[in-house]
Amino acid sequence: MAVESEGSAASNDLKVQFDEHGLIPAVVQDWRDGAVLMVAYMNRAALDQTLQTGYAHFWSRSRQQLWKKGETSGNFLLCKRVFLDCDGDVLLVKVEPTGPACHTGARTCFFTEVTHQGVAATHGDEEANGSIFDRLYEMVRQRKAHPQEHSYVSSLMKDGPDRILKKVVEEAGEVVLAVKTEHREEIIHEVADLLFHTIAAMGHCDIPMTAIQQELGKRFGKSGIREPEQSR
């Protein structure tokens, strides 16, 4: 159930079950790849502000005050949609983060693994359920903004679009040949090369992965996947 409304109608809905303290837990999820970024609490005012402004707001239980995520760090959470669970007592907030969600500087607060032996093993942020495509795009952007010596991506960015496009065409041809031979490992290898150089081209043009995801969403719809129309 999506919580979408004008003003405060959604939070006044009896289906939104605030607890005895006037709070409801909110699970915050990256709308791009489904990574769980954090869990916080909302009261009626926080939910209203989130829906009205498009920026995630929460209720701080320690400070006993309303807070807009990112108001001090600059790492805002742009709210895309809000869902209510079947019991009405938990919210799922789908967001587009403008920076790390965790106060530690990690992308997500959930980067510590608890094993069956009860041992907590802390991993780097790169392992915290991030999309490999988003991480590759960010790396391309970094190499473009801050070139590094002996970096293949930096050399691609320096040489400009002609070299990048040449590699895209070259890798596309390799994919065609690999598919024709129906050699599984070769197909995987060549498609990975094609995707990587396509992301490099996107990085050169400053087109983020979210733009492609939005375009696919418009083409195939929210309610389900439908086949694209045949090209003429």
Side-chain angles (χ1 to χ4, degrees):
M1 175 191 309
V3 179
E4 297 175 343
S5 68
E6 295 289 338
S8 60
S11 63
N12 287 326
D13 192 328
L14 293 178
K15 293 180 180 178
V16 181
Q17 301 295 325
F18 296 97
D19 65 16
E20 65 273 18
H21 302 293
L23 302 176
I24 185 170
V27 179
V28 182
Q29 183 182 48
D30 192 320
W31 77 287
R32 299 168 299 182
D33 62 7
V36 177
L37 302 178
M38 59 181 286
V39 176
Y41 285 85
M42 289 184 174
N43 60 4
R44 192 182 304 276
L47 178 55
D48 287 344
Q49 285 297 303
T50 298
L51 295 173
Q52 291 170 15
T53 68
Y55 288 88
H57 287 68
F58 304 102
W59 176 258
S60 171
R61 294 177 297 168
S62 60
R63 301 193 303 271
Q64 288 294 295
Q65 65 182 41
L66 185 71
W67 61 289
K68 177 182 180 181
K69 173 64 177 175
E71 60 188 348
T72 56
S73 68
N75 298 324
F76 299 100
L77 298 175
L78 308 181
C79 183
K80 295 296 184 178
R81 301 183 79 186
V82 180
F83 289 84
L84 186 65
D85 82 330
C86 57
D87 293 323
D89 57 3
V90 178
L91 293 172
L92 175 64
V93 185
K94 291 182 175 286
V95 302
E96 179 179 345
T98 64
C102 184
H103 73 281
T104 65
R107 177 188 179 223
T108 165
C109 294
F110 297 94
F111 54 83
T112 302
E113 181 180 1
V114 180
T115 72
H116 68 283
Q117 297 175 329
V119 178
T122 302
H123 296 292
D125 184 43
E126 70 278 359
E127 297 183 23
N129 196 30
S131 162
I132 183 63
F133 298 116
D134 288 312
R135 299 206 306 269
L136 280 174
Y137 177 76
E138 288 303 318
M139 182 269 289
V140 169
R141 288 185 61 216
Q142 287 296 319
R143 295 293 186 271
K144 179 182 178 183
H146 308 286
Q148 295 185 6
E149 189 177 2
H150 307 306
S151 165
Y152 174 66
V153 175
S154 291
S155 68
L156 281 178
M157 296 296 107
K158 179 181 177 181
D159 291 343
D162 286 347
R163 184 183 174 196
I164 299 172
L165 295 176
K166 181 179 179 181
K167 290 299 296 183
V168 170
V169 172
E170 176 184 318
E171 299 303 341
E174 295 291 343
V175 170
V176 171
L177 294 176
V179 172
K180 288 182 70 70
T181 62
E182 298 187 6
H183 191 285
R184 185 176 185 276
E185 294 303 320
E186 187 176 350
I187 294 171
I188 293 172
H189 179 82
E190 299 301 344
V191 169
D193 280 346
L194 176 59
L195 289 174
F196 171 77
H197 287 91
T198 300
I199 291 172
M202 291 168 55
H204 172 78
C205 298
D206 295 320
I207 298 175
M209 294 301 301
T210 51
I212 307 303
Q213 292 167 325
Q214 289 170 350
E215 178 62 23
L216 289 172
K218 288 190 293 186
R219 291 187 187 187
F220 302 123
K222 296 179 180 178
S223 59
I225 296 296
R226 64 176 185 271
E227 294 185 19
E229 296 181 3
Q230 183 174 353
S231 301
R232 295 183 179 179

